[in-house]
Amino acid sequence: MKKQVLFGIALLCSAFLGNVRAANPLQDTTYNAMGPNGEYTLTNKWLYSVTLGNYVAAGDKIGTSGFVRGMAVKDGKMLFIDREKKQITVVNGETGLKEDPIILASNIFTYIGRNKADTADSIYVAGTLPYNDIKVDNAGNVLIGNCITSSAGRFQVWKINLTDGSGTLIIDQANLATLFPASTIRFDAFGVWGDVNTNAIIMASNASAMEAYKWTITNGVLSDPVMIEIDNVTEGTYLTGLPNPGSAPQIFPLDDNYFYLDGNATYPTLIDKDGNVIDGFYNNPSALKDSTTMKDKILTMNQGHNGIAEFQVGDEYFVVMAATNTAGTPPSSFRLFKFADANKAFSGLDCLWTFPMKGMGGSSNAYRTGMPAVEVSGNTAKIYVYTGENGYGMYEFRVTQSGKPEISLQPVTVSVNGNTLKLSETVANLSIYNITGQLIGKFANVSSVEAPGKGIFVVKATTLHGETAIQKVIVK
């Protein structure tokens, strides 16, 4: 009788715990429009975070602490790799609500080898921490990878069928110690560019040394890995003198020639296939400080969380990245920048916002995940973010007027006479922008002004009656 009662209680508790529901997704604060004409807007659609108080209970969280270290996005769904449950947890990107998970096949991150007595084959687990990272390639293939903590580990990357959870083994590297006997190796994450079914690059950053490892897939055939020694000797970069990139580094190949490296000890840094440091915040240290999000406070980036994503809207280029770690201000935040042009140089970075404005939270995140992912449709980019142990959310970034002021000749017009800009009437306010949208002159109660130089300018005028006109002018 006692056994039956206890069994009934166990069933009741199991049913109760199984039906725990997450708190409702909340919304972050409102962000001011940016750009000379307010053409850039950022809106939080939903957010779970420690800061908001709805990422605290077990039902709120994406998984058990320490077991969900990677996030990627495909077709509006956030995909989280869960090592404890051996599944991909799926979140609807529009609502923030969890959907049915993808249970992964039992053979993933396993291999067959001889037992110690060499009498029979046995099944072994590959790597120290299976189900450790997840990425989506340019063709939409979903890949998951394990963590290895030495060169004796077996590094694997699998392609996942989201319909049934089955996997296809893409990388099964068991001989790293033989190929690179002088290297001490730890891989926490991987990056991918291209289509793993045909032509692609897969990379992993070594947490123990300034090294990156690169596999090339050509016409569906995988190469042996090559090791890239990253320059930490040349003076003047933020990698100078670093023995390694710090814990849990992330790597993001952009093509066959370039990749971003971001580790616990680094800011995101652009590197070429020969290991040369090409660009980074060392070329624009002032971009580490944000004076636009909060008008009365400067927010400074720090190292510690790892993640970056470039994207394009129309003919403009942007990048979003982890901005602060759990000890930063605000704790566990991201930052969105605009590049000056298609060259995407750090020297031309323009900070738009740091978000969430109050951060996602200060709960310990030992695996350093601060991952953004972006999907673009038309003039709108959906920015998905995940900070380990502190929450996840989605922001909508919108670019109006294709990022450039619309040209209007009414109600006031501008003409060029030599070096003078003449208006058809006296205006209350006049602003002059260069072709990239940077404000270079502002005037009040004028009917003419001297041009700031030769070139193409955009003039925005507000009449004494409050009407606004925007016109492009050429000063030769």
Side-chain angles (χ1 to χ4, degrees), residues 71 133-136 189-193 201-205 212 248-255 257-263 268-271 305-310 320-322 368-373:
M71 182 277 291
D133 194 23
I134 184 168
K135 295 291 192 299
V136 176
F190 70 97
V192 62
W193 171 84
I201 301 295
I202 297 176
M203 300 187 73
S205 174
Q250 293 277 351
I251 193 165
F252 305 89
L254 301 177
D255 53 30
N257 297 308
Y258 300 100
F259 61 91
Y260 279 115
L261 173 67
D262 191 15
T269 302
L270 184 66
I271 301 166
H305 283 179
N306 310 329
I308 183 171
E310 287 186 356
V320 58
M321 63 187 71
R368 307 297 178 181
T369 298
M371 188 61 60

Side-chain angles (χ1 to χ4, degrees), residues 234-251:
T234 301
E235 295 292 334
T237 82
Y238 287 164
L239 301 187
T240 305
L242 290 180
N244 57 63
S247 58
Q250 293 277 351
I251 193 165

Side-chain angles (χ1 to χ4, degrees), residues 23 49 67 77 81 97 101 119 166 204 207 241 275 312 338 362 403 406 464:
S49 75
F67 283 95
K77 309 288 186 181
I81 184 67
L97 301 179
T119 57
S166 62
Q312 180 180 350
K338 179 182 181 298
E406 292 178 346
L464 298 173

Side-chain angles (χ1 to χ4, degrees), residues 84-241:
E84 179 187 39
K85 297 179 180 177
K86 299 180 176 61
Q87 68 180 31
I88 295 174
T89 301
V90 181
V91 170
N92 186 304
E94 287 298 315
T95 65
L97 301 179
K98 294 177 185 176
E99 299 185 350
D100 290 338
I102 299 163
I103 307 301
L104 297 170
S106 60
N107 69 313
I108 292 175
F109 294 121
T110 65
Y111 66 96
I112 297 175
R114 300 293 288 177
N115 62 19
K116 290 183 179 180
D118 197 23
T119 57
D121 288 340
S122 296
I123 298 176
Y124 297 91
V125 175
T128 308
L129 300 176
Y131 310 94
N132 207 57
D133 194 23
I134 184 168
K135 295 291 192 299
V136 176
D137 73 11
N138 298 71
N141 297 301
V142 176
L143 310 174
I144 59 175
N146 62 351
C147 166
I148 61 169
T149 55
S150 76
S151 58
R154 193 180 194 107
F155 181 61
Q156 290 189 344
V157 173
W158 291 73
K159 182 180 71 172
I160 301 302
N161 183 328
L162 297 184
T163 302
D164 60 12
S166 62
T168 302
L169 190 57
I170 302 297
I171 293 177
D172 185 24
Q173 203 72 52
N175 61 342
L176 289 167
T178 301
L179 294 175
F180 310 101
S183 292
T184 301
I185 294 175
R186 176 182 174 123
F187 297 155
D188 289 88
F190 70 97
V192 62
W193 171 84
D195 179 352
V196 295
N197 294 321
T198 54
N199 300 289
I201 301 295
I202 297 176
M203 300 187 73
S205 174
N206 187 0
S208 301
M210 274 299 180
E211 299 170 350
Y213 291 74
K214 178 180 179 181
W215 290 259
T216 301
I217 299 175
T218 305
N219 296 324
V221 178
L222 181 75
S223 71
D224 286 332
V226 296
M227 187 263 283
I228 301 170
E229 293 187 54
I230 297 171
D231 180 10
N232 60 350
V233 177
T234 301
E235 295 292 334
T237 82
Y238 287 164
L239 301 187
T240 305

Side-chain angles (χ1 to χ4, degrees), residues 301-452:
M301 283 180 61
N302 65 4
Q303 304 101 319
H305 283 179
N306 310 329
I308 183 171
E310 287 186 356
F311 63 98
Q312 180 180 350
V313 180
D315 59 357
E316 298 186 272
Y317 300 85
F318 304 89
V319 61
V320 58
M321 63 187 71
T324 56
N325 62 20
T326 55
T329 302
S332 304
S333 67
F334 295 83
R335 186 167 295 177
L336 178 59
F337 294 93
K338 179 182 181 298
F339 286 114
D341 52 40
N343 292 320
K344 294 185 280 189
F346 275 66
S347 59
L349 280 179
D350 183 20
C351 175
L352 296 178
W353 302 277
T354 299
F355 64 96
M357 195 178 295
K358 295 182 180 179
M360 298 187 81
S363 297
S364 177
N365 173 18
Y367 47 92
R368 307 297 178 181
T369 298
M371 188 61 60
V374 183
E375 290 188 321
V376 178
S377 177
N379 69 336
T380 301
K382 293 181 178 179
I383 302 174
Y384 307 85
V385 293
Y386 172 53
T387 298
E389 311 304 324
N390 287 281
Y392 57 101
M394 193 272 275
Y395 289 74
E396 189 173 271
F397 171 59
R398 190 178 294 271
V399 179
T400 59
Q401 305 174 19
S402 299
K404 293 184 173 62
E406 292 178 346
I407 299 173
S408 172
L409 301 180
Q410 298 297 332
V412 61
T413 59
V414 184
S415 61
V416 179
N417 185 2
N419 292 325
T420 301
L421 304 181
K422 286 192 168 186
L423 295 102
S424 57
E425 63 184 69
T426 299
V427 297
N429 293 289
L430 181 74
S431 300
I432 302 175
Y433 302 88
N434 63 20
I435 196 63
T436 65
Q438 180 182 6
L439 178 66
I440 55 177
K442 197 168 186 178
F443 309 89
N445 297 313
V446 294
S447 60
S448 66
V449 297
E450 288 297 308

